[in-house]
Amino acid sequence: QLLNAPSTIHDPPQPATISRPHRTLRLENVTFRYGDGEDVLRGIDLEIPHGQTLAIVGPNGCGKTTLAALIPRFYDPTGGAVRIDGIDLRDVALADLRSRIALVSQQALLFDDTISANIRYGSPDATDEDVRRAAQRANAHEFITTSCEAGYETSVGPRGQHLSGGQRQKIALARAILRDADILILDEATSQVDIESEHQVHEVLRDFVADRTAIMITHRLSTLGLADRILVMDAGRILDIGTHEQLLARCEAYQRLHQTQLRKSA
């Protein structure tokens, strides 16, 4: 959601060019630490072909969000490399890289502006009709037109405080849909919406992730049904990767996570 914002990470002197759409996103022996702390990511090797939806699961603090943050270069690896089609992301212009990425996080960041302006932030040249279509796809149009006094011109307040957490997430999802990027990153993107809305949003995502790379960080079993593969992490490492059925059969960590979520949803 801050993909258009200034960054402390600088462009290379002669930026490389990535094909559009890209073919493969790859993390090669990636390690990462914050400052002088211990490694948060350790020896991450991962390849995500274009068009694949990858879910990332694991206990809190295992490195899921940090891994995803390397893709738009909110941080650079302290070891190894993140590459798109063989090109190190550090050799790509930030504006070019981030124009290809849409991000929806658990704490949806909105600006003290109208609903329309917050959605349009994903694509500044979009028309009012484009904004409405994106909101409809994100299951946001109904609450905007029935619960908000000025509709799309309603102010969301500082950090979106005039809206509920679920409403903020729907606005952020509409922004990502409007952006129509090659790579979609969803970090607990439906954690604050109600069950009925979550089902509706999942139907939207099932269609939207087609023909783009999607990375979903989630604790919800229902979201895993959208994934082609599921990556299991713990303590900054990849424990296993496979389909839901494969992981249930062979991965004890995934079995424990699955049982924990079943108990929570019971």
Side-chain angles (χ1 to χ4, degrees):
Q1 292 153 304
L2 292 174
L3 297 178
N4 296 341
S7 175
T8 56
I9 294 177
H10 302 294
D11 279 337
Q14 294 181 319
T17 301
I18 306 172
S19 61
R20 190 183 293 268
H22 69 280
R23 296 182 299 276
T24 305
L25 173 65
R26 181 165 179 79
L27 287 79
E28 298 178 348
N29 195 29
V30 165
T31 59
F32 179 80
R33 72 179 67 90
Y34 294 99
D36 296 327
E38 296 182 357
D39 285 347
V40 178
L41 299 175
R42 300 173 174 87
I44 300 293
D45 279 302
L46 175 65
E47 183 173 302
I48 312 172
H50 174 75
Q52 185 174 95
T53 298
L54 177 74
I56 305 178
V57 300
N60 291 334
C62 72
K64 303 185 296 294
T65 295
T66 301
L67 187 155
L70 298 180
I71 297 169
R73 289 192 66 206
F74 293 153
Y75 310 102
D76 284 333
T78 50
V82 183
R83 303 181 188 274
I84 290 182
D85 292 347
I87 301 171
D88 193 317
L89 296 190
R90 289 168 288 204
D91 295 329
V92 179
L94 274 177
D96 181 23
L97 172 65
R98 293 179 179 177
S99 72
R100 302 164 181 270
I101 300 171
L103 169 65
V104 184
S105 65
Q106 183 173 13
Q107 300 299 326
L109 176 59
L110 301 185
F111 304 101
D112 189 5
D113 206 331
T114 64
I115 290 174
S116 178
N118 270 281
I119 296 174
R120 188 177 278 109
Y121 185 78
S123 183
D125 295 329
T127 65
D128 289 345
E129 183 57 31
D130 292 335
V131 169
R132 286 177 178 268
R133 278 198 296 266
Q136 287 168 338
R137 292 183 68 185
N139 195 36
H141 179 74
E142 183 176 357
F143 91 77
I144 294 171
T145 55
T146 61
S147 303
C148 299
E149 184 175 347
Y152 282 84
E153 298 312 305
T154 301
S155 173
V156 304
R159 302 186 66 84
Q161 66 183 19
H162 295 167
L163 303 179
S164 69
Q167 290 170 337
R168 289 195 296 271
Q169 284 191 315
K170 289 179 181 180
I171 296 300
L173 180 58
R175 177 191 292 168
I177 289 172
L178 185 63
R179 195 176 185 90
D180 196 26
D182 293 342
I183 300 172
L184 176 65
I185 301 174
L186 303 170
D187 188 352
E188 299 286 3
T190 61
S191 61
Q192 299 186 55
V193 301
D194 58 75
I195 297 299
E196 180 180 356
S197 293
E198 183 186 38
H199 291 323
Q200 294 169 339
V201 169
H202 283 172
E203 288 306 309
V204 170
L205 289 175
R206 195 178 304 279
D207 173 63
F208 185 64
V209 298
D211 200 33
R212 75 187 74 231
T213 301
I215 299 168
M216 304 186 304
I217 299 170
T218 184
H219 287 97
R220 294 193 174 187
L221 291 176
S222 54
T223 305
L224 297 179
L226 300 171
D228 298 306
R229 293 190 300 166
I230 301 168
L231 184 151
V232 184
M233 291 187 67
D234 193 18
R237 298 183 184 277
I238 295 176
L239 296 184
D240 204 343
I241 186 167
T243 66
H244 172 71
E245 291 77 15
Q246 289 170 341
L247 295 174
L248 273 183
R250 72 187 185 211
C251 180
E252 291 185 7
Y254 186 75
Q255 292 164 5
R256 290 194 298 271
L257 289 169
H258 185 262
Q259 288 301 318
T260 298
Q261 289 305 307
L262 283 178
R263 287 194 295 271
K264 287 183 178 180
S265 62

